[in-house]
Amino acid sequence: MNSNFDPEFWKFHEARKPSAWSSFILVILVFGGLINVVNFGMWWFKQEPGQFWLFFILTLIFWWSIFRMIIMWISYIAINKPRKKKAPKDLSVAIFTTSSPGEPLSMFDKTLEACKNIRYPHTTYLLDDTQDPAFKELAEKHGAVWLELVGIPGAKAGKINAALQKTKEDFILVMDPDHIPFPNFFDEVLGFFTNPDVGFVQVSQGYYNQYRSFVAQGAAEQTYGFYGPTLMGLYGLGSSVAIGANCTFRREALESIGGHAIGLAEDMMTAIRLHGKGWKSIYHPVIVTRGLVPEDLGSFCKQQLKWSRGVHEILFSDLPKTWNGLSTLQRLTYFGISTYYISGLTMFLFLILPYFTLWFDVIPIDIEFTEFLTHWVPLALAATVIYLYCQRFLSHPKTEFGLHLKGTILKFVCWPVFLQGFLLSLINGKIPYIPTAKQAVKGFTPFIRPHVYIALFFILTVIWVIIKRMHFTPEGEIAFTRWETWGMIFFAAIAFVMTLGGIYAAWQSRNLDAAEPWKDIDIEEINKLNPDEDKDY
């Protein structure tokens, strides 16, 4: 067996189904969390504002985050899992995977071999625009149909739509070329299509290269909760979303909306349009494939910029157009998802607010720091308990459970990227569709520069505060302003620590080798780890 081939990652895994007892506990935990929200709010709005515009900004930051947290809690209460249905015989099934110039041929060798080993009868299509004859030869080697689609506008979605015109299968799995499917993939998916109203079925995503770097681990951590309790909650609310990879579509559904949506967030656009047309969706929380996450900070930031710009495009364009066709819960869901990247603006405001007090002696709110902690810590603890309890619904709890600090650091580090995507959406600025790098890109990314400046500014500010209070502040004022000063340094220090984590991730990316982690994957061993059950197709 290959040295980096961990059998634990290549066995079939699925999230547990919620019981009546676990749902009851969740309701109690959320109710307790809401009580803490009310208590914090009653205290907060009784306080004396300092500089009113700073108080307004600080209130906006806190309560926007709390509002999003409450929406998440509501979805958790709805956590559900569909009952698996047996895959019918003789369905007409296709796999579409796309190739683009610059993507490594050896990666496709492994993916196409794995597609060939999926047990349910199907046809695999390689949608190729590389103009490299080696890709055609590779497709033929693994029994896939090679479709040359050069110069098709719309990137990945454009090629999918072009392939729809050249094929006839009734069900199409969109498989990203860096993913390696398990042989039982369709056994877990196709049975749901016996309901004629189901337009698409999405399964979980897992990854096999997260051991490679700080960024890879953090990027994977950011997805654990999303592919577990979050999407299970959205399924319970009737709002399962397509993720772009590992999603199986009904051809009739895609044709009803004019084909796969084209855009930087084409997967979510497609889901919204299908729901707007009345199609139902299924989220099945099983791991039947594993793929890659970005390994270096530059590639990760480029991916996040593309998603940020694309999701804001949905907020300002697609969502209003489909609003009337969506249910109330779907509207709430998609509004919550499409405003996720506004966190770039709120993080930026959180970052700069303490410096107004530390440099200009203006305060947003007249409170003692210890009093704030007395009211904030219970709410933070309640949120943490709910977060940890919901991890019982992770797709693979054994490897995914935890506080996910690296993922939190990466989210903070990306605030300039999120903010850039938000600002570009306001002016309808364009960015190109660039496939996420499949291998590490060595170098110190320019995306980290704002964080280097912020770290230096924090150090300079602390030095200035110490000098100012030692030599230029009267003793009476020192005592009077003690808590507000060190409280603001505490908030600035949180951002500073997060920033240092990002700088470390960028520094580590300088020396990453462009490895090919898929070379260690043993397809025959995956087949043995996921043995054939008695199928009659």
Side-chain angles (χ1 to χ4, degrees):
M1 189 178 296
N2 293 315
S3 59
N4 288 326
F5 184 87
D6 184 351
E8 183 61 34
F9 280 88
W10 298 100
K11 296 176 184 176
F12 170 80
H13 293 283
E14 61 181 319
R16 67 174 71 185
K17 185 175 179 63
S19 65
W21 177 246
S22 65
S23 298
F24 174 74
I25 292 176
L26 256 179
V27 170
I28 296 300
L29 291 176
V30 169
F31 182 72
L34 292 175
I35 290 176
N36 280 285
V37 169
V38 172
N39 287 338
F40 181 76
M42 291 176 64
W43 171 80
W44 180 267
F45 291 105
K46 288 180 181 178
Q47 303 310 304
E48 191 70 29
Q51 192 77 23
F52 180 79
W53 64 274
L54 287 179
F55 174 74
F56 177 79
I57 293 175
L58 187 60
T59 299
L60 179 67
I61 294 171
F62 271 113
W63 288 95
W64 176 252
S65 300
I66 291 172
F67 169 72
R68 293 190 58 82
M69 183 171 65
I70 292 172
I71 292 178
M72 185 67 69
W73 290 351
I74 292 172
S75 73
Y76 286 163
I77 293 175
I79 283 175
N80 204 354
K81 180 184 176 183
R83 179 178 296 179
K84 180 183 171 182
K85 297 182 178 181
K86 188 175 181 180
K89 295 181 182 179
D90 302 325
L91 293 184
S92 178
V93 183
I95 299 176
F96 286 179
T97 191
T98 61
S99 55
S100 298
E103 292 183 316
L105 182 68
S106 60
M107 179 182 72
F108 287 86
D109 191 16
K110 197 69 66 173
T111 297
L112 292 175
E113 180 186 358
C115 289
K116 181 180 180 180
N117 278 271
I118 294 179
R119 296 183 184 117
Y120 194 95
H122 66 280
T123 302
T124 300
Y125 293 89
L126 177 60
L127 318 184
D128 179 37
D129 71 345
T130 64
Q131 297 182 287
D132 182 347
F135 281 82
K136 180 180 180 181
E137 295 171 6
L138 190 63
E140 293 172 348
K141 170 186 172 183
H142 293 295
V145 176
W146 176 75
L147 294 179
E148 186 173 33
L149 300 172
V150 178
I152 303 293
K156 171 184 168 182
K159 283 187 277 191
I160 290 172
N161 289 336
L164 286 173
Q165 302 299 316
K166 297 175 179 289
T167 58
K168 296 181 179 180
E169 286 80 6
D170 295 321
F171 302 96
I172 297 99
L173 164 63
V174 176
M175 173 73 63
D176 275 1
D178 61 296
H179 277 259
I180 296 175
F182 297 3
N184 57 327
F185 189 105
F186 285 130
D187 300 331
E188 294 294 324
V189 169
L190 293 177
F192 296 113
F193 287 106
T194 55
N195 179 348
D197 295 329
V198 171
F200 67 89
V201 178
Q202 176 69 55
V203 298
S204 180
Q205 289 189 191
Y207 306 97
Y208 64 89
N209 69 325
Q210 56 226 57
Y211 67 90
R212 285 272 297 157
S213 67
F214 183 100
V215 170
Q217 181 63 47
E221 286 180 358
Q222 288 188 358
T223 69
Y224 295 158
F226 180 72
Y227 287 113
T230 299
L231 276 177
M232 291 177 72
L234 294 185
Y235 167 71
L237 296 173
S239 305
S240 305
V241 294
I243 309 301
N246 310 332
C247 189
T248 306
F249 294 94
R250 188 189 297 270
R251 175 184 289 270
E252 180 186 353
L254 287 177
E255 290 177 345
S256 74
I257 60 170
H260 201 290
I262 293 175
L264 295 173
E266 75 279 359
D267 45 3
M268 186 174 165
M269 284 185 180
T270 303
I272 289 178
R273 293 177 186 180
L274 288 172
H275 283 141
K277 283 287 187 177
W279 291 99
K280 297 185 183 302
S281 59
I282 299 289
Y283 176 65
H284 191 33
V286 296
I287 293 181
V288 284
T289 175
R290 286 195 182 269
L292 301 176
V293 284
E295 297 179 358
D296 64 280
L297 188 61
S299 297
F300 180 76
C301 287
K302 289 178 182 177
Q303 178 196 69
Q304 296 298 307
L305 176 60
K306 177 179 71 176
W307 290 352
S308 173
R309 177 63 184 91
V311 167
H312 285 121
E313 183 178 2
I314 290 172
L315 176 63
F316 295 121
S317 178
D318 259 58
L319 190 55
K321 293 177 183 177
T322 57
W323 191 260
N324 290 335
L326 301 175
S327 69
T328 300
L329 289 176
Q330 287 172 340
R331 292 169 184 170
L332 180 63
T333 295
Y334 283 118
F335 177 77
I337 296 174
S338 60
T339 55
Y340 171 82
Y341 290 103
I342 291 179
S343 60
L345 176 61
T346 58
M347 286 183 187
F348 170 69
L349 295 174
F350 173 80
L351 187 71
I352 65 171
L353 267 181
Y355 294 102
F356 284 96
T357 297
L358 298 173
W359 281 92
F360 306 113
D361 296 323
V362 292
I363 59 173
I365 187 170
D366 188 14
I367 58 173
E368 286 193 359
F369 182 60
T370 52
E371 186 183 1
F372 168 79
L373 290 180
T374 300
H375 291 83
W376 176 252
V377 168
L379 177 55
L381 288 176
T384 302
V385 169
I386 293 172
Y387 182 76
L388 292 176
Y389 183 79
C390 285
Q391 290 188 22
R392 68 192 287 109
F393 303 111
L394 294 174
S395 297
H396 190 190
K398 183 176 180 179
T399 61
E400 297 176 354
F401 183 86
L403 290 175
H404 306 149
L405 296 179
K406 291 179 181 177
T408 301
I409 289 172
L410 278 192
K411 179 180 177 180
F412 179 85
V413 168
C414 281
W415 72 258
V417 174
F418 297 167
L419 182 59
Q420 183 180 356
F422 176 67
L423 295 176
L424 283 172
S425 67
L426 295 180
I427 62 173
N428 199 29
K430 304 297 182 183
I431 61 173
Y433 185 101
I434 302 174
T436 303
K438 305 303 187 292
Q439 295 174 281
V441 179
K442 184 183 295 187
F444 197 74
T445 174
F447 282 108
I448 201 61
R449 287 175 185 166
H451 299 284
V452 173
Y453 301 145
I454 289 167
L456 294 174
F457 188 62
F458 172 79
I459 295 170
L460 174 64
T461 298
V462 172
I463 293 172
W464 160 245
V465 168
I466 293 172
I467 293 174
K468 177 184 176 183
R469 294 179 73 81
M470 288 179 61
H471 299 288
F472 302 105
T473 306
E475 289 187 15
E477 187 177 338
I478 288 178
F480 183 72
T481 60
R482 178 181 58 193
W483 287 115
E484 68 184 42
T485 298
W486 297 113
M488 288 301 172
I489 286 180
F490 171 80
F491 285 119
I494 294 174
F496 175 69
V497 171
M498 295 285 193
T499 294
L500 290 182
I503 293 173
Y504 171 76
W507 175 81
Q508 187 189 60
S509 298
R510 293 173 60 244
N511 301 309
L512 283 176
D513 294 324
E516 297 183 343
W518 51 83
K519 282 193 170 182
D520 291 327
I521 307 305
D522 190 329
I523 302 299
E524 288 303 317
E525 191 66 26
I526 295 175
N527 292 341
K528 294 176 183 177
L529 291 169
N530 299 279
D532 189 10
E533 300 176 4
D534 292 331
K535 306 298 179 186
D536 57 1
Y537 47 69

